[in-house]
Each structure stands twice: as structure tokens, then as C-alpha cells.
Amino acid sequence: MTIKLRAQENTSDTTTIYRIETNDGNEYIGIITSRNAENIVLKTIRLGEITLRVVDIIRIETVLKDRIKNNLLWFDNVQATRYFFQPNGYGLKKGEAYYQNIWVVFNQVSYGFTDHFSLGIGTIPTFLFSGSAEGLPFWLTPKLSMPLVDDRVNIGVGVFYANILGGDTEGTGIAYALSTFGNRDKNLTIGIGYGFSGGELGQLPAITFSTMIRTGQRGYFISENYFITSASETVALVSLGGRRIIKRAGLDFGLFVPYSSDQTIFFAIPWLGLTFRLDKKKN
């Protein structure tokens, strides 16, 4: 990758913080004090002023000042709009996109068409085994999001719709509304959803309580929980786990525990997912 710089000599930027990645795998954070067509002089906190050759640079990204804590870069959450799978009230910004893979077989790509509307398309690639796309399961996840108070209160409404390609069913899914309290690094979401199938809406709502809390430079604690209660039975799905940020990717891990009021056996279902950011920052 070639980094294009202005031809003007000795230009500097003493206010913007940059993250620069070189082709030997190193990363540097600092302020550009001088740059020309051949070299960039970067003032870093730990190394002082260093000179980087332009031909060795593969990526330059601006860094928000609030992402620098204790002289370390706190990496962006690559999937701040979701917990393990449940969405929250935040939306993808226009042009943002990511790919999510869960246990290899579940795949979804999401894209922000505007700052308030995003759409995800997911599938299980059964055609790799059958050789035909007919009978392919797929799902769509359109979502509208709106901030009520910036970085404090966001609301969202959306649908999870699933069907089988070439099938003769009307599909199934859930329509939901939710409120998220907090910022993208630390928040709590309360939501309600109604399932539907064959054109009919379910009678009992599912209530969700989920949270995401940043624990450090690269880590998050995540809990995603669902509850359905009737006069005779309570059904729940609760989870505990986390997310590890690895540059432009996120590794999700945790355990989901199903529960019902007449359950006699306790067991947990492991969760493992990877999310990769697809869009590129423009500087």
C-alpha cells in the first residue's frame, strides 16, 4: 500500500494524534512535527521524535484524544452496535461495515447506509455441502437508531427476519424496540421484542437486558440476556463473557445458559465469534 503525502516540504500537524503502522508490524502513536514526500517525523510519548520512511508506512489513521489513556491507545470497538448478537441503540455510521462469524458456520455482513439506518445480511453456507443455493437459510437485520442525548441515551427499532431461499414459507423472526443508556464503551440496553411466524405475531414479548463495560485497552465485559414470562412458566437465556480487540478485529467469547422454571438439568452453551471491520478510515 502506498501512502500519498503532499509534495510540500516540512509540513506539520501539532494538534492531531496519529496512529502509524509500518510494514514490519510496528505501530507508533504521536504527533506529526514534520513530513515531506520521503519522511515523516513523529513525536511520540515513549520514544521521543522518530523518523519514518514513507515507503515503509502501510497505514495512517487519526486517533481521537479521548482514546489515549495512560499513554496507551484504547482501540475502537469494532462492533460497538452489538453485544454478542443482540443489537443496541447505537447505529453504524454512514459507510461503516463489518463481517461477523460465529462458530464458523454463521456469517453476517452489516453496513451503515446512513448514520441512522443499517442493514445486516446473514447466512449459513449450506451450498458448500449440497452444491446448490436452493434451501439456503438467510436472515436480514434492518435497524433504525436515533440518539436522544448524545453518548448518553439512544433508541433503536428493527427486525430480525429469517427464511429459506426457495422455500414456500412466509419466514419467521422478531420485531423489537430498545433503549440504550451510556456511551459506546459502557452501556446498558433494555429492550422488548415480539416474535412472528407465518404472518402471525406472538402473544408474549421477550424482554432483554444487556450490558457492555470496557475493562481496559483491548477488553470488554459483555452480558446478553433474554426473558419470557407467562403465568405458568419463565424461560430465560443468560450469558457472561467478553470481547478482545485485536487491531481491526474483535474476538467474542462467553457462555450462554438456558433456564426454564421446570428445568432439571443445568448446562451451558459456549460462544465464540470473530468480527472484522471492513471499512477503511479516511484521514
Side-chain angles (χ1 to χ4, degrees):
M1 178 183 295
T2 301
I3 306 296
K4 296 182 179 180
L5 299 175
R6 296 186 295 269
Q8 181 180 354
E9 299 289 330
N10 298 321
T11 59
S12 63
D13 186 345
T14 59
T15 58
T16 305
I17 300 175
Y18 289 89
R19 170 184 170 270
I20 298 179
E21 183 179 346
T22 54
N23 54 21
D24 58 3
N26 288 318
E27 296 178 355
Y28 305 94
I29 308 295
I31 298 171
I32 294 177
T33 60
S34 177
R35 70 182 182 180
N36 54 45
E38 296 181 353
N39 299 299
I40 287 180
V41 179
L42 189 72
K43 184 177 181 180
T44 69
I45 295 175
R46 296 188 172 186
L47 302 176
E49 282 197 347
I50 59 174
T51 300
L52 302 173
R53 297 193 310 165
V54 171
V55 293
D56 295 330
I57 296 173
I58 60 175
R59 182 176 291 111
I60 300 178
E61 296 179 345
T62 57
V63 177
L64 296 177
K65 291 184 179 180
D66 62 4
R67 286 295 178 190
I68 304 296
K69 301 180 186 294
N70 299 322
N71 297 331
L72 294 174
L73 171 63
W74 283 36
F75 290 85
D76 289 337
N77 189 347
V78 296
Q79 195 177 212
T81 61
R82 282 183 179 271
Y83 300 100
F84 291 119
F85 190 77
Q86 180 204 345
N88 58 36
Y90 282 95
L92 290 173
K93 297 179 181 179
K94 183 179 180 179
E96 286 186 344
Y98 65 79
Y99 161 71
Q100 182 181 20
N101 178 278
I102 303 166
W103 282 122
V104 180
V105 296
F106 297 91
N107 302 271
Q108 178 169 314
V109 174
S110 299
Y111 181 79
F113 288 89
T114 73
D115 287 346
H116 304 296
F117 176 73
S118 61
L119 175 65
I121 301 176
T123 188
I124 300 173
T126 53
F127 60 84
L128 295 177
F129 308 99
S130 66
S132 172
E134 188 174 353
L136 179 73
F138 71 93
W139 58 87
L140 303 174
T141 60
K143 185 180 78 171
L144 287 171
S145 58
M146 183 68 64
L148 297 184
V149 181
D150 287 343
D151 291 327
R152 290 179 180 270
V153 182
N154 274 62
I155 59 173
V157 294
V159 174
F160 174 85
Y161 171 81
N163 208 332
I164 296 177
L165 192 66
D168 56 1
T169 65
E170 296 183 29
T172 186
I174 186 169
Y176 64 85
L178 44 82
S179 298
T180 298
F181 305 92
N183 57 35
R184 289 176 182 258
D185 276 343
K186 183 179 181 180
N187 57 62
L188 168 70
T189 293
I190 301 172
I192 184 171
Y194 280 88
F196 59 85
S197 180
E200 295 185 2
L201 197 65
Q203 296 182 349
L204 294 176
I207 308 298
T208 64
F209 296 91
S210 301
T211 186
M212 180 188 302
I213 301 173
R214 186 137 201 176
T215 59
Q217 181 188 15
R218 297 175 180 269
Y220 287 85
F221 166 79
I222 299 175
S223 179
E224 181 178 317
N225 310 285
Y226 304 83
F227 304 90
I228 301 176
T229 300
S230 68
S232 60
E233 186 180 14
T234 297
V235 178
L237 184 64
V238 300
S239 72
L240 293 174
R243 176 173 297 155
R244 179 73 174 175
I245 305 300
I246 310 169
K247 293 186 179 180
R248 294 170 61 86
L251 173 65
D252 290 352
F253 50 91
L255 291 174
F256 277 79
V257 180
Y259 166 82
S260 67
S261 53
D262 59 356
Q263 182 175 330
T264 59
I265 300 176
F266 173 87
F267 65 97
I269 304 169
W271 180 278
L272 185 65
L274 276 171
T275 302
F276 299 92
R277 186 169 177 172
L278 299 180
D279 60 284
K280 295 181 179 180
K281 290 185 177 180
K282 299 179 181 180
N283 302 305

